[in-house]
Amino acid sequence: MENLNEEVHKAYEIIKEGGIILYPTDTVWGIGCDATNPEAVAKIYALKQREETKSMIVLMNGEKMMYNVFKEIPEVAWQILDLSEKPTTLILDNPRNVATNLIATDQTLGIRIVKEPFCFKLLERMKKPLVSTSANISGQPTPKSFKEISPEIIKGVDYVVNLHREKICKNPSTIIKLTNDSQVKVIRK
């Protein structure tokens, strides 16, 4: 457990200074930063060689953080989160209090509530959402394990979390888009 707390501290110090990290999530390895820092978000887009119009998701650790970012959350969002057996990303309308370069052109933002201990503790420490995007150059396959991550990505981040490097990742999360007028659309199962 000491190693976990140490890694949370190191990652937090980098993020606090506007840096970007490579870290294990509850699905795949991710590249992340403070979701309220537009300069840090821009660094991730540049590293991934990704167009800023392709939005990235943010991780949160619960209801309080969700309500800080979304004034309105459809009731069905809570039902989906309660019933989901695997990590689920929800795309919700009209986010606020995050970097504008994270918000999609249709004024939505993808979020996932995490249970994975490292991410959860880091979010507790940050008290802000954490950007999460797969650890690959845009258009390349998502790495299933740490050893599949390209050297370009590893060299391009400010800190690589030293946890779960031997773990083979599960599939990426399910993605469901919910609108404030109660429309539900499954984007990825």
Side-chain angles (χ1 to χ4, degrees), residues 128-174:
K128 297 174 184 179
L130 175 68
V131 170
S132 183
T133 182
S134 56
N136 59 329
I137 302 295
S138 208
Q140 300 292 315
T142 300
K144 295 277 187 221
S145 66
F146 182 79
K147 65 177 185 272
E148 288 182 19
I149 299 170
S150 77
E152 191 176 353
I153 293 287
I154 293 169
K155 286 185 198 121
V157 299
D158 299 303
Y159 185 67
V160 179
V161 173
N162 192 14
L163 293 170
H164 309 305
R165 292 198 180 176
E166 66 301 321
K167 189 174 101 177
I168 303 295
C169 292
K170 302 175 198 103
N171 295 325
S173 65
T174 297

Side-chain angles (χ1 to χ4, degrees), residues 35-185:
T36 66
N37 182 331
E39 292 81 16
V41 171
K43 284 186 202 173
I44 294 178
Y45 278 117
L47 176 61
K48 283 184 64 89
Q49 299 166 28
R50 184 180 177 119
E51 296 168 42
E52 285 206 13
T53 53
K54 290 190 170 186
S55 55
M56 298 184 286
I57 74 159
V58 300
L59 301 181
M60 300 183 178
N61 64 355
E63 201 174 306
K64 185 177 178 190
M65 203 174 274
M66 278 182 70
Y67 276 113
N68 189 39
V69 175
F70 300 98
K71 200 169 10 180
E72 281 182 63
I73 299 172
E75 187 53 42
V76 70
W78 303 114
Q79 294 164 354
I80 290 168
L81 291 172
D82 287 344
L83 298 172
S84 295
E85 291 178 16
K86 66 181 239 180
T88 300
T89 297
L90 298 179
I91 300 172
L92 301 172
D93 289 337
N94 304 318
R96 59 197 176 147
N97 302 327
V98 293
T100 53
N101 52 348
L102 271 178
I103 300 171
T105 50
D106 64 354
Q107 294 304 302
T108 61
L109 179 66
I111 63 104
R112 192 165 77 239
I113 301 288
V114 293
K115 294 180 175 80
E116 195 281 326
F118 169 79
C119 293
F120 191 87
K121 282 185 164 291
L122 180 58
L123 285 161
E124 264 184 344
R125 184 86 186 271
M126 289 171 60
K127 296 180 178 33
K128 297 174 184 179
L130 175 68
V131 170
S132 183
T133 182
S134 56
N136 59 329
I137 302 295
S138 208
Q140 300 292 315
T142 300
K144 295 277 187 221
S145 66
F146 182 79
K147 65 177 185 272
E148 288 182 19
I149 299 170
S150 77
E152 191 176 353
I153 293 287
I154 293 169
K155 286 185 198 121
V157 299
D158 299 303
Y159 185 67
V160 179
V161 173
N162 192 14
L163 293 170
H164 309 305
R165 292 198 180 176
E166 66 301 321
K167 189 174 101 177
I168 303 295
C169 292
K170 302 175 198 103
N171 295 325
S173 65
T174 297
I175 301 177
I176 300 173
K177 185 172 186 171
L178 304 176
T179 59
N180 284 343
D181 60 2
S182 301
Q183 293 178 36
V184 178
K185 182 179 179 190

Side-chain angles (χ1 to χ4, degrees), residues 8-27:
V8 166
H9 176 73
K10 288 175 182 172
Y12 173 74
E13 290 300 317
I14 296 292
I15 287 169
K16 192 173 70 171
E17 298 302 319
I20 61 177
I21 64 168
L22 181 60
Y23 66 104
T25 73
D26 46 356
T27 56

